[in-house]
């Protein structure tokens, strides 16, 4: 293990004063989104002439307006100053002009982020989330766009996280290609609290490899060490990049690009989405070797913390990646993702829910639409059908509870075509889960009934034909 540097933050005393040495010389700024040929990277590793006058790209009016539009669409909560995106919109021109002026002068200061905790799914632990002010989000987004313009071309093809034209679906397909080539073993490495543990010194060191503009580096340093407000008390930040900042995705990619390049240099097949990545090998022995060597590289070279308890080697069919699993050469929804789906459906369809059936179904449709949009590439035909059945049974249980008395079901049976004699002989426990599988209930609350209520099935999103007969 290498000794930690004397200055672990990497922020020198001169960082806040070098701005005066790098003033603009008055040259016009290129159009937002355009990188002049002289500033483009010259090789896959990002080597070549360092880029100057980077801060000018950030405070260009067009770039700030583009950044604001993206922040406005994302909305989000207010930071420590209490300003919302709606309030910012009312003073948009004034505030964007003020940000540009302060950035050009080198006097812009980031405010501390507001700390909030979000419970991790399936765990009692909570994830730290930092909420910057709207102004800081706009400036951070403009810096993010600039960094993407400079660094994205040097990123690995196996890096799918937070990149234009990349997606989780493309990542899992990338893994399947390797599986089809008999890469059946996987080394899965878990980085412990990655975003909170990134050394500031490493970030600044990697930025300086490509950027020769200390004013821009100073702004990054100020953003990193702006601090956090916890229970009304400001705390210093000596490492990490808070999740919630527009800068965190790109800075994390810049840091882990070092790992990507090392894995490619060693000839490994891998796939990465943010700090979630897998390395694919053809044998268990090879996977164990790469697990050990990669862990050593991450801890010694990048000074990141590896959670050894959660890092493991297994056959690819036993590994969950981005909510998917690949078994038998097919892409499927992981068991944990299906359980999470059912938990959410259960929350929306509690039998004591006071909302009307139409309101509940609208909420279900919204959730199911987003869920299917993510898992649309899964290839197991019965998965969606099983989940559809679960949703309908939950709704049947709710409807029986709302009807309260068996006489209401008897009247519905008569409407469905049962003779009054048979209907009145039918007795169902309206508050028991097992009642949803009764034939009489299935006949009344059938697929056609759910269609009339406006329920959209998971299978609808995959263009499958459904029969509207007396099916459950």
């Amino acid at each position: 293990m290498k000794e930690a540097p004397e200055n672990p933050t990497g922020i020198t005393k001169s960082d806040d004063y070098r701005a005066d040495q790098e003033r603009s010389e008055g040259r016009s700024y290129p159009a937002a989104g355009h990188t002049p040929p002289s500033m483009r990277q010259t090789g896959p590793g990002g080597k070549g002439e360092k880029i100057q006058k980077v801060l000018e790209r950030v405070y260009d009016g067009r770039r700030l307006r583009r950044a604001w539009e993206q922040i406005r669409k994302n909305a989000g909560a207010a930071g420590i100053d209490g300003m919302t995106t709606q309030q910012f919109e009312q003073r948009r021109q004034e505030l964007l002009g003020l940000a540009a002026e302060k950035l050009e002068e080198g006097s812009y200061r980031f405010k501390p982020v507001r700390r909030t905790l979000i419970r991790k799914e399936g765990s009692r632990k909570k994830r730290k989330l930092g909420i910057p002010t709207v102004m800081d989000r706009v400036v951070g987004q403009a810096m993010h766009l600039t960094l993407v313009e400079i660094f994205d071309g040097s990123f690995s093809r196996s890096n799918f996280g937070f990149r234009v034209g990349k997606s989780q679906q493309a990542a899992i397909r990338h893994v399947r290609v390797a599986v089809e080539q008999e890469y059946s073993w996987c080394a899965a490495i878990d980085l412990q609290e990655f975003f909170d543990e990134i050394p500031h010194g490493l970030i600044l060191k990697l930025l300086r490899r490509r950027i020769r503009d200390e004013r821009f580096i100073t702004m990054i340093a100020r953003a990193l060490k702006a601090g956090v407000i916890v229970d009304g008390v400001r705390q210093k930040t000596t490492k990490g990049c808070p999740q919630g900042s527009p800068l965190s995705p790109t800075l994390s990619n810049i840091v882990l690009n070092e790992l990507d390049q090392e894995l490619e240099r060693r000839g490994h097949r891998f796939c990465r989405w943010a700090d979630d990545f897998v390395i694919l090998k053809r044998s268990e022995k090879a996977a164990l070797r790469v697990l050990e060597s990669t862990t050593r590289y991450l801890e010694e070279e990048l000074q990141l913390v590896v959670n050894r308890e959660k890092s493991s080697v297994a056959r690819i069919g036993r590994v969950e990646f981005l909510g998917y699993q690949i078994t038998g050469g097919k892409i499927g929804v992981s068991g944990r993702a299906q359980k999470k789906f059912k938990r959410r459906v259960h929350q929306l369809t509690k039998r004591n829910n006071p909302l009307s059936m139409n309101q509940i179904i609208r909420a279900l449709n919204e959730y199911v639409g987003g869920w299917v949009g993510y898992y649309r590439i899964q290839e197991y035909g019965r998965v969606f059908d099983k989940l559809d059945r679960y949703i309908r049974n939950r709704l049947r249980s709710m409807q029986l509870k709302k009807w309260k008395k068996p006489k209401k079901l008897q009247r519905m049976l008569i409407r469905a075509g049962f003779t009054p004699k048979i209907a009145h002989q039918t007795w169902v426990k309206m508050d028991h889960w097992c009642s949803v599988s009764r034939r009489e209930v299935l006949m009344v609350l059938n697929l056609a009934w759910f269609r009339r209520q406006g329920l959209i099935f998971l299978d609808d999103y995959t263009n499958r034909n459904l029969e509207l007969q007396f099916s459950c």
Side-chain angles (χ1 to χ4, degrees):
M1 180 74 69
K2 292 187 177 180
E3 294 183 1
E6 294 181 1
N7 179 10
T9 65
I11 303 172
T12 64
K13 291 183 178 179
S14 60
D15 280 337
D16 280 340
Y17 303 99
R18 292 181 182 172
D20 292 336
Q21 302 173 11
E22 301 259 351
R23 294 295 182 192
S24 171
E25 296 178 359
R27 276 192 262 175
S28 61
Y29 173 80
H34 171 72
T35 306
S38 61
M39 293 185 177
R40 292 175 187 158
Q41 298 181 30
T42 58
K47 297 180 180 179
E49 183 180 358
K50 291 187 178 182
I51 300 175
Q52 303 182 35
K53 299 188 179 300
V54 177
L55 191 60
E56 280 86 338
R57 303 188 188 192
V58 176
Y59 63 72
D60 175 75
R62 289 164 293 182
R63 173 142 302 168
L64 285 173
R65 287 192 295 272
R66 179 184 171 193
W68 158 243
E69 286 302 319
Q70 294 176 347
I71 297 300
R72 182 181 61 81
K73 289 178 182 178
N74 294 335
I80 62 170
D81 62 355
M83 178 177 286
T84 64
T85 52
Q86 293 83 359
Q87 292 170 331
F88 190 96
E89 171 65 22
Q90 296 172 0
R91 302 173 54 195
R92 174 174 53 87
Q93 289 186 341
E94 172 196 349
L95 293 175
L96 291 181
L98 180 62
E101 180 181 340
K102 289 188 174 183
L103 285 168
E104 185 174 9
E105 293 174 351
S107 61
Y108 189 87
R109 295 292 188 276
F110 289 87
K111 292 182 173 62
V113 300
R114 178 166 62 85
R115 168 72 55 78
T116 185
L117 299 176
I118 299 177
R119 185 177 294 278
K120 292 183 178 180
E121 185 65 33
S123 172
R124 293 183 178 180
K125 295 182 179 180
K126 294 185 177 181
R127 177 168 59 91
K128 297 176 183 177
L129 183 68
I131 303 177
T133 65
V134 177
M135 176 77 89
D136 287 347
R137 292 209 292 270
V138 172
V139 173
Q141 183 68 18
M143 297 173 78
H144 158 76
L145 294 171
T146 302
L147 287 171
V148 168
E149 188 177 77
I150 295 170
F151 283 92
D152 191 77
S154 67
F155 291 159
S156 167
R157 293 181 179 179
S158 298
N159 170 12
F160 292 83
F162 311 118
R163 300 180 64 192
V164 176
K166 303 282 189 177
S167 66
Q168 289 98 327
Q169 292 75 26
I172 201 67
R173 288 188 177 116
H174 181 77
V175 173
R176 185 174 63 174
V177 169
V179 173
E180 291 172 346
Q181 296 172 0
E182 300 184 356
Y183 286 83
S184 57
W185 285 87
C186 169
I189 301 176
D190 182 82
L191 292 174
Q192 185 171 310
E193 298 181 349
F194 168 69
F195 288 92
D196 298 323
E197 295 291 335
I198 307 175
H200 288 175
L202 177 62
I203 295 174
L204 302 181
K205 171 187 172 183
L206 296 176
L207 291 177
R208 286 185 172 114
R209 283 185 185 175
R210 290 289 300 129
I211 295 173
R212 183 175 290 165
D213 184 347
E214 284 301 323
R215 294 190 305 154
F216 179 81
I217 302 296
T218 295
M219 287 299 164
I220 294 289
R222 288 176 183 171
L224 293 174
K225 63 177 183 177
V228 58
I229 300 296
V230 181
D231 297 328
V233 179
R234 177 174 178 172
Q235 296 180 0
K236 293 182 179 180
T237 48
T238 59
K239 60 181 178 179
C241 184
Q243 295 187 69
S245 165
L247 284 168
S248 61
T250 307
L251 292 180
S252 67
N253 264 337
I254 291 171
V255 169
L256 289 180
N257 187 52
E258 296 297 293
L259 170 66
D260 298 343
Q261 300 297 333
E262 181 66 16
L263 293 176
E264 289 185 345
R265 186 184 68 79
R266 298 180 184 182
H268 296 315
R269 297 288 293 271
F270 70 97
C271 182
R272 183 172 69 79
W273 174 274
D275 60 330
D276 196 357
F277 65 98
V278 291
I279 307 172
L280 302 156
K281 303 302 290 183
R282 287 194 167 100
S283 70
E284 181 181 13
K285 187 176 181 180
L288 288 169
R289 282 199 307 267
V290 77
L291 174 66
E292 182 60 31
S293 62
T294 304
T295 298
R296 188 166 55 250
Y297 176 82
L298 287 166
E299 292 181 336
E300 296 182 2
E301 299 297 328
L302 300 185
Q303 300 176 30
L304 298 174
V305 181
V306 174
N307 188 331
R308 293 176 181 267
E309 292 182 0
K310 293 186 177 181
S311 301
S312 62
V313 166
R315 286 192 177 275
I316 190 66
R318 295 178 177 271
V319 175
E320 177 184 355
F321 183 55
L322 303 178
Y324 288 96
Q325 281 179 294
I326 299 177
T327 54
K330 288 185 177 182
I331 298 173
V333 183
S334 71
R336 188 165 67 170
Q338 292 184 50
K339 289 180 181 178
K340 179 181 176 181
F341 176 86
K342 287 184 176 181
R343 280 197 299 270
R344 181 56 180 156
V345 170
H346 187 275
Q347 290 172 353
L348 292 171
T349 57
K350 289 183 178 180
R351 284 183 286 182
N352 60 356
N353 193 326
L355 299 178
S356 69
M357 183 62 70
N358 285 336
Q359 290 174 311
I360 293 167
I361 285 178
R362 281 200 297 270
L364 273 173
N365 287 343
E366 183 178 352
Y367 172 68
V368 168
W371 192 88
V372 176
Y374 182 83
Y375 289 104
R376 64 186 182 276
I377 65 169
Q378 76 89 25
E379 298 170 325
Y380 285 89
R382 293 188 61 82
V383 170
F384 283 178
D385 181 61
K386 288 167 60 178
L387 295 177
D388 268 331
R389 290 171 183 265
Y390 177 76
I391 292 173
R392 292 195 292 270
N393 281 336
R394 289 294 306 172
L395 292 174
R396 288 183 180 113
S397 179
M398 283 191 66
Q399 189 61 65
L400 291 177
K401 180 73 172 179
K402 288 180 180 296
W403 282 344
K404 296 182 180 179
K405 297 181 180 180
K407 290 184 178 180
K408 175 64 176 179
L409 176 63
Q410 292 168 0
R411 290 197 295 271
M412 297 299 293
L413 285 170
I414 294 173
R415 291 182 188 178
F418 285 75
T419 64
K421 181 179 179 180
I422 294 177
H424 291 141
Q425 290 175 346
T426 301
W427 195 264
V428 172
K429 294 180 179 179
M430 306 297 278
D431 58 350
H432 283 212
W433 170 252
C434 60
S435 297
V436 302
S437 59
R438 289 281 299 271
R439 176 177 176 271
E440 296 83 0
V441 174
L442 297 177
M443 294 286 282
V444 172
L445 304 177
N446 57 22
L447 294 184
W449 185 86
F450 285 111
R451 292 289 191 190
R452 290 195 297 271
Q453 304 305 311
L455 180 66
I456 301 176
F457 302 159
L458 278 76
D459 277 325
D460 292 343
Y461 295 94
T462 57
N463 297 319
R464 295 173 183 164
N465 294 322
L466 296 173
E467 297 181 1
L468 298 181
Q469 302 302 320
F470 301 123
S471 168
C472 62

